[in-house]
Amino acid sequence: MNIFDVYFNSLLAGQLTIDNAMRMRFSYAEDYRANQGEPISLTMPVSTKNHSDDVVFPFVENLLPEGEIRMLIQHQNKIEDGNFARFIELLGGDVAGALSIQPLGKSPEFEQIDATTELDDAALSQLLLDIQDRPFNIYPQQQAGNRLSLAGAQNKLPVIRKSGKTFEARNAPSTHIIKPPRKDGRFKSLVYNEYICMKAAEIAGIQAAAVSLLEITDVNGLESDALLITRYDRVLPDHSNNTAQIIKRLQQEDLCQLCSIPSTMKYEVNGGPGFEALFAKINEFSLIPVKDDIEALRRIIFNLIIGNYDAHAKNFSFLVTSNGNTSLSPAYDLVCTELYENLDRTFAMSIGETQTLDTLTEASFKQMFEKINKKFSTIRKQLIKFADSSLKAVTSVVSDFREGDFYQSDIQAADKILKIAKTNHQIVLKSLRAA
């Protein structure tokens, strides 16, 4: 039996219990309930004290890394299959959202930013190199068609950024995530691919996580760029006064968690949530459902334009703001998967009965809108206009990228993304327009 304390920021929300069969239970602390604390999940209201494995397990499992990163951590730390308690010991301190899962009796760390370890260029570059073999900077035995799944295909380093300086987060809440280029050479130009797609999404009018390129230099003096992502599930401290520089966590849940589906079922073809489930959760939880409906539809169109066929249930999340309002989180992990020829091109979530772009028709959209209980005729013109805006945004970002100091192979990748967007734009427009 393993017992963990679960904190919502600095408040002890309750205890997570994992038995020898890896069944999970969560119980809210009486003081937390009495003080009307925030639910640790929208699927686990505080009004109910005890929550069982069918809801708790998928919620917790989806907080952990997946794919090849999970397998690498498992191998390096000699973790048996299904031993989620050990994963939580290693990784529970700084997960997505507002929670920190700690060993029984241990409190989360809330160091002041200036008290953490600053990373100079050499130290940062070494850490980014190390995490290729040691994901999330975990040391062995530390206490406390193929698809592209970014959580598994691209490693990440959580850090704290302040005034252009980088600090090692350890267990303190991180403010940024750095994705370095892959050391093994797979998915070439992936850093620039995601940078272009994320920037284009923002220009097109999608709410997207802020990204930039961070130049790093390895021990041999070789320069490269990593992707620097600002965490939207963190509230940065006010640097204008001398109060303690504490970072606050905001609660976030992805669609798998809200549907109580484990990450292994994130694709609709594997039994995971589709667009019908996404819009149902928007209607159930969003403060302004109509606004999030439009945002979700824009993301569907944008993903089609850029050739991102890996927009699965874990790539749609809901954010609970500091005032308790819930809405779709900013978009993240937007990538042109079509750039890589060996990746599956079937849709992670089908559009109507359609699963590939080359079979997309007006009937596909009508079927999808019927499933989500929306009127296609009332939104058709907006989606056509947004498809045009999406292509214009990709064109603008790629044009700026060409002017940068990049390798020719990376410029060629950017040009190919634009070519894909132009081709897909025509297919999408044809499917949206009335015959």
Side-chain angles (χ1 to χ4, degrees):
M1 181 78 71
N2 293 274
I3 303 176
F4 297 90
D5 285 334
V6 179
Y7 284 82
F8 195 104
N9 280 299
S10 60
L11 299 177
L12 177 61
Q15 289 185 336
L16 170 69
T17 302
I18 306 178
D19 66 19
N20 293 335
M22 291 298 136
R23 292 185 295 263
M24 299 186 185
R25 291 182 291 109
F26 175 77
S27 299
Y28 281 107
E30 289 295 349
D31 288 349
Y32 192 79
R33 297 183 71 207
N35 292 318
Q36 298 181 326
E38 296 292 328
I40 68 164
S41 167
L42 295 170
T43 64
M44 288 183 261
V46 181
S47 57
T48 302
K49 178 179 173 62
N50 299 309
H51 295 273
S52 59
D53 183 75
D54 59 333
V55 173
V56 179
F57 174 80
F59 172 75
V60 173
E61 187 271 340
N62 275 287
L63 294 175
L64 302 173
E66 52 183 309
E68 65 183 57
I69 302 301
R70 180 182 291 187
M71 288 188 291
L72 184 56
I73 294 172
Q74 181 176 335
H75 173 73
Q76 290 180 342
N77 293 274
K78 298 180 174 60
I79 302 175
E80 303 87 354
D81 286 339
N83 188 350
F84 291 101
R86 181 59 178 147
F87 272 107
I88 293 169
E89 288 177 0
L90 293 172
L91 297 167
D94 188 35
V95 296
L99 304 185
S100 178
I101 307 176
Q102 301 287 341
L104 186 64
K106 187 178 185 301
S107 301
E109 298 179 18
F110 288 93
E111 303 147 316
Q112 294 185 28
I113 293 177
D114 293 334
T116 59
T117 304
E118 182 180 353
L119 298 170
D120 59 21
D121 290 344
L124 176 59
S125 296
Q126 187 61 51
L127 262 183
L128 291 172
L129 184 65
D130 289 345
I131 66 169
Q132 304 281 339
D133 300 313
R134 195 180 67 237
F136 296 94
N137 198 25
I138 297 173
Y139 289 87
Q141 305 307 316
Q142 175 179 321
Q143 299 298 320
N146 298 326
R147 280 197 179 272
L148 171 63
S149 176
L150 289 180
Q154 195 177 16
N155 218 324
K156 306 170 185 178
L157 178 68
V159 298
I160 295 171
R161 291 273 293 180
K162 176 189 174 186
S163 303
K165 296 180 179 180
T166 304
F167 300 84
E168 194 170 357
R170 291 295 182 181
N171 285 329
S174 54
T175 63
H176 291 71
I177 292 170
I178 301 177
K179 292 183 179 180
R182 288 184 65 112
K183 187 173 67 173
D184 61 11
R186 292 177 64 202
F187 309 120
K188 293 184 181 299
S189 302
L190 183 55
V191 165
Y192 301 122
N193 183 340
E194 185 170 352
Y195 172 79
I196 289 169
C197 292
M198 291 291 291
K199 283 291 187 182
E202 182 182 12
I203 292 172
I206 287 175
Q207 296 178 359
V211 300
S212 60
L213 295 174
L214 181 67
E215 186 177 289
I216 55 176
T217 305
D218 67 18
V219 291
N220 298 316
L222 298 176
E223 296 180 353
S224 62
D225 287 320
L227 189 69
L228 180 67
I229 308 163
T230 302
R231 295 193 67 157
Y232 54 75
D233 59 344
R234 300 291 184 262
V235 176
L236 303 185
D238 182 2
H239 297 300
S240 63
N241 55 51
N242 294 322
T243 58
Q245 303 292 284
I246 301 300
I247 301 159
K248 182 179 179 181
R249 296 174 165 103
L250 296 178
Q251 181 60 351
Q252 170 189 288
E253 294 185 67
D254 63 44
L255 187 58
C256 279
Q257 291 172 305
L258 290 178
C259 294
S260 297
I261 296 291
S263 65
T264 52
M265 296 172 62
K266 63 186 178 184
Y267 295 108
E268 187 175 12
V269 70
N270 293 334
F275 289 125
E276 186 175 1
L278 173 62
F279 285 92
K281 295 304 178 184
I282 288 174
N283 185 63
E284 182 178 359
F285 294 118
S286 289
L287 177 67
I288 309 176
V290 173
K291 179 181 177 182
D292 281 346
D293 282 345
I294 296 296
E295 177 70 13
L297 288 169
R298 286 183 170 188
R299 294 184 194 182
I300 291 170
I301 297 300
F302 184 80
N303 280 321
L304 292 173
I305 298 294
I306 65 170
N308 178 20
Y309 308 127
D310 201 51
H312 50 69
K314 288 190 68 62
N315 287 152
F316 291 92
S317 291
F318 290 73
L319 186 68
V320 183
T321 61
S322 54
N323 58 9
N325 295 329
T326 303
S327 63
L328 274 180
S329 75
Y332 53 91
D333 288 355
L334 299 176
V335 168
C336 173
T337 61
E338 191 176 337
L339 183 65
Y340 309 106
E341 294 182 358
N342 63 321
L343 292 179
D344 192 337
R345 296 191 180 185
T346 57
F347 298 157
M349 294 185 181
S350 62
I351 297 180
E353 304 301 325
T354 302
Q355 295 184 333
T356 59
L357 189 67
D358 58 0
T359 58
L360 188 70
T361 64
E362 181 188 24
S364 307
F365 282 107
K366 287 183 176 179
Q367 289 168 353
M368 183 188 79
F369 272 77
E370 185 176 348
K371 284 184 176 181
I372 66 176
N373 199 27
K374 311 291 179 188
K375 288 187 176 181
F376 181 47
S377 58
T378 62
I379 196 71
R380 184 201 303 264
K381 289 183 179 179
Q382 290 187 52
L383 297 183
I384 291 172
K385 184 177 180 180
F386 186 74
D388 292 338
S389 298
S390 296
L391 177 59
K392 184 177 179 180
V394 175
T395 303
S396 175
V397 175
V398 170
S399 178
D400 289 342
F401 188 83
R402 288 197 195 103
E403 301 300 318
D405 184 20
F406 302 106
Y407 288 112
Q408 186 61 34
S409 60
D410 296 316
I411 294 175
Q412 289 172 348
D415 287 339
K416 187 173 181 181
I417 291 172
L418 179 55
K419 183 179 179 180
I420 289 169
K422 288 179 177 179
T423 300
N424 292 359
H425 172 256
Q426 291 302 311
I427 297 173
V428 172
L429 283 188
K430 183 178 179 181
S431 303
L432 288 172
R433 287 176 175 149

